[in-house]
C-alpha cells in the first residue's frame, strides 16, 4: 500500500475505482504537479487543454500502429540483440551468467528509450551508463517533491540535475539534433514522401519547431521522454519477472505459456496494477465536482488520486484484489486490466501500447507485441532464473515500489539466437 508522505498531507484522497475513473476523465480536471513545473518546463504532462492536445498530436506519429510495428521490427530488436551480445560476450554455455536484474533492465531500456526519444549512439556500455546517469538525475529532480528531504536539499537535487543538462546537450542531444535537422531541412526544401523521417520524438519536435519555444524546451521535452520511458519500463520488467518466478512456483503447469504473448501481457498488466511506477496522481479541479462516493472537490482544489488503492478496489477486482493473478484481466467486468497504472483521461500514458502492446488492428497492421512483453519473453527464452546465491532487496526508504537489487542468472543459448 502507498505511504504517500508529507506532499499529500491535508489533500482530499480519491481512492475508489469509480471516483478515480470519473475525476481523471473529467474535462474540469487539470494536471497538478506545481512543484516540478519550473524544473521540468512546459513538457507534455504539465500542459492542459488545447496546448496539451496540440503537443500530443505532434508526438503521436511515434505511437501509431505503423510506427509501433516498425519500432518492434527495427529499433527494439537491435537494442535487445546488442544487450545480449554484451551479456554473453566471452562466456561459454557451461556456466550460468550472473547479473543484477534491475541494473540489467535499466541498461537495456536506456538503449530502447534513447531510440524512441531520438538520441543516437547509445551503443556502448559507457555511453549507456553516461546517459543513464543524466536521466536518473533528471528523474530525481523531476520527482523530488515525493522525497522526505528538506527544502534546501530539494533545491540542491534540482540544481545538480540542471547542471547535467549541459553535458546532455553536448554529448547526446546536439549531435542527434544536427543529423535530424538536416533531414527535416531537406524535406522542407524539397517536399517528398516523408516516410524517411525517423520515427522519434526529437524529429517530431524539429518538424514542428516554433519560434516562441524557449531554447531549453527541446532539452526538457527529450529528457522528460527519457525519464518517462526508461525507469518505468525497467521497474515494471523487474516486478513482473519476480511475480512470474513466484507464480510458476505455485503453478508449474503454466510454464508452457511462456511463449504466449497474451499470457505474458496479462501477467504484465496484473503486475502493473499491483506495483505502480508512480506513487499517486496529483490533479487540480477548475470547478467544484461531486464524485460517486459522495466526496466533493472544490473549484481550484488540488487533490490526490491514490491509484494504489483504486487499483485494488475489491468491487471491481474481486476479494482477492491484493494478490497476483495473470488471468484476472479475462474475468467478466474487468475492462482495464492494468487499472490506473497508465492513468486515465487526457494524460493517459502516451507510451502504453508501446510498453505492453495489444490494442486493435489498424489498416491491416496487427496489435503490437509491446516492448516489455518482448523483453520478458526474450529473458525467459534465455532461461532467466533467480540466483540462489543472492537475495532480492527493495528500497525501504523509497516512495516507489521497486527492487534495488535482484540477483538472477541467464543461460547462453547453445545455438545463435
Ligand atoms: C510500464 C511502463 C509505463 C508506465 C506504467 C507508465 C505510466 C504512466 C503514468 C501513470 C502516466 C500519467 C502520469 C500523470 O498523469 O501524472 C504516464 C504519462 C506519460 N507517459 Fe508513461 N508509463 C510507462 C511507459 C512509458 C513509455 C514507454 C513512454 C514513452 C515512450 C511514456 C511516456 C509518457 C508520457 C510522455 C506521459 C505524459 C502523457 C501526458 O501527459 O499526456 N511512458 N505514464
Amino acid at each position: 500500500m502507498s505511504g504517500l508522505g508529507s506532499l499529500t498531507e491535508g489533500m482530499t484522497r480519491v481512492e475508489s475505482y469509480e471516483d478515480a475513473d470519473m475525476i481523471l476523465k473529467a474535462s474540469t480536471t487539470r494536471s497538478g504537479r506545481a512543484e516540478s513545473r519550473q524544473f521540468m518546463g512546459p513538457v507534455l504532462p504539465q500542459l492542459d487543454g488545447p496546448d496539451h492536445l496540440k503537443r500530443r498530436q505532434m508526438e503521436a506519429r511515434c505511437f501509431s500502429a505503423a510506427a509501433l510495428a516498425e519500432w518492434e521490427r527495427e529499433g527494439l530488436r537491435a537494442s535487445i540483440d546488442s544487450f545480449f551480445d554484451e551479456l554473453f560476450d566471452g562466456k561459454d554455455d557451461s556456466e550460468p551468467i550472473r547479473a543484477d536484474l534491475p541494473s540489467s533492465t535499466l541498461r537495456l531500456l536506456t538503449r530502447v528509450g534513447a531510440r524512441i526519444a531520438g538520441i543516437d549512439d547509445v551503443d556502448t556500455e559507457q555511453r549507456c551508463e553516461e546517459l543513464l546517469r543524466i536521466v536518473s538525475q533528471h528523474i530525481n529532480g523531476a520527482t523530488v517533491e515525493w522525497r522526505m528531504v528538506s527544502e534546501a536539499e530539494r533545491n540542491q537535487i534540482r540544481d545538480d540535475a540542471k547542471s547535467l543538462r549541459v553535458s546532455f546537450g553536448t554529448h547526446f542531444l546536439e549531435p542527434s539534433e544536427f543529423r535530424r535537422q538536416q533531414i527535416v531541412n531537406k524535406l522542407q526544401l524539397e517536399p517528398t514522401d516523408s516516410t524517411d523521417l525517423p520515427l522519434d520524438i526529437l524529429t517530431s519536435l524539429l518538424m514542428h519547431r516554433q519560434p516562441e519555444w524557449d531554447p531549453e524546451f527541446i532539452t526538457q521535452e527529450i529528457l522528460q521522454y527519457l525519464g518517462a520511458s526508461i525507469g518505468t519500463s525497467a521497474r515494471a520488467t523487474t516486478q513482473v519477472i519476480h511475480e512470474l518466478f513466484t507464480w510458476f512456483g505455485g503453478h508449474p503447469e503454466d510454464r508452457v505459456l511462456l511463449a504466449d504473448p497474451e499470457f505474458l501481457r496479462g501477467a504484465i498488466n496484473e503486475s502493473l496494477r499491483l506495483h505502480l511506477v508512480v506513487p499517486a496522481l496529483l490533479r487540480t479541479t477548475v470547478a467544484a465536482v461531486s464524485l460517486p462516493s459522495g466526496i466533493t472537490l472544490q473549484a481550484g482544489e488540488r487533490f490526490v488520486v491514490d491509484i494504489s488503492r483504486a487499483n485494488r478496489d475489491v468491487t471491481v477486482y474481486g476479494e482477492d484484489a491484493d494478490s497476483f493473478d495473470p488471468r484476472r484481466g479475462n474475468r467478466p467486468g474487468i475492462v482495464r486490466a492494468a487499472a490506473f497504472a497508465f492513468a486515465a483521461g487526457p494524460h493517459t500514458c502516451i507510451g502504453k501500447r508501446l510498453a505492453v502492446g495489444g490494442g486493435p488492428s489498424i489498416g491491416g497492421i496487427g496489435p503490437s507485441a509491446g516492448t516489455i512483453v518482448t523483453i520478458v519473453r526474450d529473458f525467459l527464452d534465455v532461461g532467466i532464473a533467480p540466483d540462489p546465491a543472492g537475495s532480492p532487496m527493495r528500497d525501504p526508504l523509497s516512495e516507489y515500489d521497486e527492487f534495488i537489487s535482484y540477483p538472477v542468472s541467464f543461460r547462453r543459448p547453445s545455438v545463435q539466437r
Side-chain angles (χ1 to χ4, degrees):
M1 279 300 149
S2 57
L4 292 180
S6 56
L7 176 66
T8 61
E9 245 166 49
M11 282 187 206
T12 304
R13 278 189 190 212
V14 173
E15 298 181 337
S16 78
Y17 181 96
E18 212 184 349
D19 282 0
D21 190 46
M22 177 180 165
I23 199 64
L24 288 171
K25 290 176 178 167
S27 61
T28 49
T29 300
R30 300 285 178 267
S31 52
R33 294 192 45 210
E35 292 82 0
S36 52
R37 198 153 291 161
Q38 215 198 341
F39 171 80
M40 290 175 79
V43 294
L44 181 66
Q46 292 282 358
L47 302 179
D48 284 300
D51 291 344
H52 175 256
L53 185 63
K54 195 168 153 204
R55 178 81 57 73
R56 243 183 117 109
Q57 284 169 342
M58 188 187 289
E59 294 167 349
R61 66 185 275 279
C62 305
F63 304 96
S64 69
L68 296 185
E70 182 179 327
W71 156 247
E72 283 174 359
R73 249 188 347 261
E74 313 281 337
L76 180 60
R77 200 61 271 149
S79 303
I80 297 179
D81 286 349
S82 49
F83 169 80
F84 278 128
D85 287 348
E86 263 167 34
L87 186 73
F88 296 137
D89 186 33
K91 319 262 179 26
D92 62 36
D93 54 8
S94 59
E95 283 286 310
I97 295 148
R98 299 203 149 84
D100 177 55
L101 185 55
S103 45
S104 301
T105 51
L106 264 178
R107 271 207 335 270
L108 167 52
L109 282 150
T110 301
R111 288 164 195 242
V112 170
R115 282 178 187 258
I116 299 163
I119 299 298
D120 299 328
D121 303 327
V122 184
D123 43 14
T124 62
E125 209 169 326
Q126 191 201 352
R127 290 274 292 172
C128 201
E129 291 300 331
E130 202 182 332
L131 182 60
L132 186 54
R133 190 172 65 89
I134 294 170
V135 175
S136 304
Q137 196 73 17
H138 174 78
I139 297 172
N140 286 344
T143 57
V144 73
E145 67 264 30
W146 290 107
R147 296 244 201 129
M148 283 179 250
V149 293
S150 69
E151 198 49 40
E153 284 169 286
R154 280 192 187 146
N155 290 335
Q156 188 60 53
I157 292 171
R158 288 191 183 113
D159 288 348
D160 290 349
K162 273 191 186 162
S163 63
L164 280 181
R165 285 182 188 169
V166 179
S167 163
F168 174 66
T170 317
H171 298 296
F172 293 98
L173 183 62
E174 284 160 23
S176 309
E177 183 174 339
F178 180 78
R179 277 180 216 122
R180 283 162 182 74
Q181 192 64 63
Q182 309 281 316
I183 305 173
V184 170
N185 290 349
K186 189 161 175 270
L187 190 81
Q188 281 165 351
L189 282 173
E190 307 158 24
T192 51
D193 185 351
S194 65
T195 49
D196 284 346
L197 279 173
L199 278 165
D200 56 51
I201 301 296
L202 181 52
T203 305
S204 306
L205 295 175
L206 297 178
M207 281 162 66
H208 297 95
R209 197 198 284 265
Q210 302 295 313
E212 68 273 16
W213 282 355
D214 185 283
E216 274 273 280
F217 165 66
I218 292 188
T219 308
Q220 290 167 329
E221 188 78 345
I222 295 300
L223 279 170
Q224 141 67 26
Y225 263 92
L226 290 166
S229 60
I230 298 173
T232 50
S233 306
R235 235 177 270 150
T237 305
T238 299
Q239 288 285 7
V240 70
I241 288 176
H242 168 71
E243 290 289 6
L244 284 171
F245 287 158
T246 316
W247 182 260
F248 291 139
H251 303 80
E253 69 286 0
D254 277 351
R255 278 191 177 274
V256 294
L257 297 172
L258 287 183
D260 176 354
E262 281 315 311
F263 175 80
L264 289 183
R265 187 166 302 116
I268 291 166
N269 280 328
E270 176 71 346
S271 175
L272 282 166
R273 181 182 70 79
L274 294 170
H275 307 291
L276 294 167
V277 302
V278 289
L281 300 174
L282 295 174
R283 296 288 190 266
T284 307
T285 47
V286 290
V289 56
S290 292
L291 302 178
S293 66
I295 292 177
T296 297
L297 297 163
Q298 305 303 325
E301 181 174 346
R302 190 151 82 121
F303 60 96
V304 54
V305 185
D306 188 343
I307 51 176
S308 170
R309 294 188 82 88
N311 282 14
R312 293 162 185 249
D313 188 328
V314 293
T315 63
V316 178
Y317 293 99
E319 287 301 325
D320 62 343
D322 281 342
S323 61
F324 174 84
D325 174 1
R327 296 186 179 84
R328 188 182 304 274
N330 303 336
R331 295 187 195 176
I334 295 188
V335 286
R336 217 184 250 130
F340 300 105
F342 293 99
H347 289 283
T348 299
C349 177
I350 200 169
K352 178 180 171 188
R353 280 189 50 214
L354 185 135
V356 293
S361 294
I362 298 169
I365 302 169
S368 56
T371 300
I372 303 178
V373 177
T374 306
I375 292 174
V376 170
R377 196 202 50 217
D378 283 12
F379 277 12
L380 291 165
D381 265 2
V382 291
I384 187 171
D387 179 355
S391 21
M393 264 174 57
R394 289 185 185 271
D395 183 352
L397 297 177
S398 174
E399 293 295 340
Y400 287 89
D401 180 4
E402 66 180 321
F403 286 100
I404 46 171
S405 120
Y406 202 117
V408 287
S409 63
F410 295 93
R411 283 214 168 264
R412 188 192 169 99
S414 41
V415 286
Q416 201 63 32
R417 284 169 41 77

